[in-house]
């Protein structure tokens, strides 16, 4: 079946663009889009049959294949000393070196992070704009609140525990939510109908898993950001969640 007219490929391309630096060479972006649609979607049978989020397949392929290009960012106007590294990258460097975050990371206020005055890809900056999109999607009933709330809530609780133990080396929950692709991943990518659970209970398990894995990778993993990997890992678990977490059929008495 020809699905060219449903614009699903345009959505995949748009989400991929949100996940790459503005300085990424065009040929790399084209290659990433080819992998996202050709491998992440069409190789599994096309629209509605892909087990993994296609845009994240393209993003992870680019990150692994071209790590320097995918982690080099320009400096937003009015922000000094942030060129080439995101706030999460500074945090990761502090964790590796054993130094406090304040020693390495330039001062970035929460208002700067909310408005987008920091280095990062399109989906990492301007959290306020992403939150406006959240309200619109919920209002139009395109998504439900379950997955985003459980992902971001789990990230906040997990990071809050670490922050309470050692605030010099672990960042606050608000920092974790406003930095990186937390909002983009939780709202615009993890909620993909095809790759997310069908039941509300399943969505809760799925969201908690993504939140835990994201913080684990951010704190102890090799990469500063972890939500892309977390979503793909939990995408693989979705068939099991759908198999074992089912609503009781009306009129059926549990044995």
């Amino acid at each position: 079946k020809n699905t060219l007219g449903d614009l699903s490929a345009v959505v995949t391309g748009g989400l991929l663009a949100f996940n790459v630096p503005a300085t990424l060479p065009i040929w790399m972006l084209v290659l990433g889009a080819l992998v996202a649609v050709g491998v992440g979607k069409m190789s599994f049978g096309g629209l509605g049959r892909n087990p993994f989020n296609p845009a994240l397949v393209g993003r992870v392929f680019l990150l692994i294949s071209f790590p320097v290009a995918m982690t080099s960012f320009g400096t937003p106007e009015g922000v000094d000393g942030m060129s080439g590294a995101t706030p999460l990258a500074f945090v990761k460097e502090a964790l590796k070196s054993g130094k406090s975050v304040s020693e390495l990371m330039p001062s970035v206020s929460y208002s700067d992070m909310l408005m987008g005055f920091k280095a990062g890809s399109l989906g990492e900056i301007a959290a306020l704009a992403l939150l406006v999109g959240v309200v619109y999607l919920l209002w139009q009933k395109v998504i439900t609140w379950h997955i985003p709330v459980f992902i971001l809530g789990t990230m906040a609780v997990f990071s809050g525990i670490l922050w309470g133990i050692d605030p010099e080396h672990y960042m606050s929950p608000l920092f974790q939510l406003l930095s990186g692709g937390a909002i983009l991943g939780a709202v615009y990518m993890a909620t993909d109908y095809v790759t997310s659970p069908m039941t509300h209970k399943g969505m809760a398990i799925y969201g908690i898993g993504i939140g835990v894995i994201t913080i684990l990778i951010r704190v102890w993993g090799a990469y500063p950001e972890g939500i892309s990997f977390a979503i793909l890992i939990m995408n693989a678990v979705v068939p099991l969640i759908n198999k074992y977490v089912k609503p009781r059929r009306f009129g059926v008495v549990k044995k």
Side-chain angles (χ1 to χ4, degrees):
K1 183 181 178 181
N2 188 343
T3 59
L4 186 62
D6 62 14
L7 301 181
S8 61
V10 175
V11 173
T12 299
L15 289 173
L16 179 61
F18 269 66
N19 280 277
V20 300
T23 55
L24 191 74
I26 295 296
W27 69 269
M28 288 186 187
L29 186 58
V30 172
L31 182 60
L34 180 63
V35 170
V37 177
V39 177
K41 183 180 292 185
M42 301 308 297
S43 65
F44 292 99
L47 183 65
R49 296 181 175 87
N50 51 288
F52 303 100
N53 186 289
L56 287 180
V57 171
R59 195 251 178 191
V60 170
F61 166 79
L62 290 173
L63 182 62
I64 295 174
S65 302
F66 313 105
V68 176
M70 283 291 290
T71 54
S72 298
F73 303 93
T75 306
E77 184 179 353
V79 179
D80 297 326
M82 293 293 289
S83 179
T86 64
L88 281 178
F90 283 107
V91 172
K92 177 61 69 175
E93 182 61 31
L95 288 171
K96 287 181 178 179
S97 64
K99 299 179 180 179
S100 66
V101 178
S102 59
E103 292 181 64
L104 295 179
M105 187 169 66
S107 177
V108 181
S109 66
Y110 289 130
S111 61
D112 286 340
M113 299 175 72
L114 192 65
M115 299 301 295
F117 297 119
K118 64 181 188 295
S121 62
L122 186 61
E124 291 184 68
I125 61 176
L128 182 61
L130 294 173
L131 291 173
V132 171
V134 174
V135 174
Y136 178 78
L137 291 176
L138 290 172
W139 174 52
Q140 291 292 318
K141 297 182 179 180
V142 176
I143 63 172
T144 63
W145 60 268
H146 303 81
I147 292 175
V149 166
F150 276 103
I151 292 176
L152 298 177
T154 301
M155 289 179 63
V157 171
F158 194 173
S159 60
I161 294 172
L162 296 176
W163 184 53
I165 295 172
D166 187 357
E168 285 294 318
H169 294 93
Y170 300 112
M171 301 307 295
S172 70
L174 187 56
F175 178 92
Q176 295 286 5
L177 297 182
L178 294 179
S179 61
I183 298 175
L184 177 71
V187 177
Y188 299 88
M189 311 196 81
T191 54
D192 175 37
Y193 297 145
V194 180
T195 58
S196 60
M198 296 183 292
T199 63
H200 290 164
K201 185 177 180 180
M203 291 177 183
I205 297 171
Y206 175 73
I208 292 171
I210 292 174
V212 169
I213 296 171
T214 298
I215 297 299
L216 286 175
I217 294 175
R218 285 187 176 189
V219 176
W220 292 288
Y223 291 94
E225 176 59 283
I227 196 162
S228 297
F229 295 100
I231 293 173
L232 290 176
I233 290 171
M234 291 305 296
N235 283 165
V237 182
V238 165
L240 287 176
I241 296 176
N242 286 334
K243 180 179 180 179
Y244 293 106
V245 182
K246 297 179 180 179
R248 192 179 70 182
R249 287 176 292 174
F250 183 74
V252 175
V253 178
K254 186 176 181 181
K255 295 182 180 180

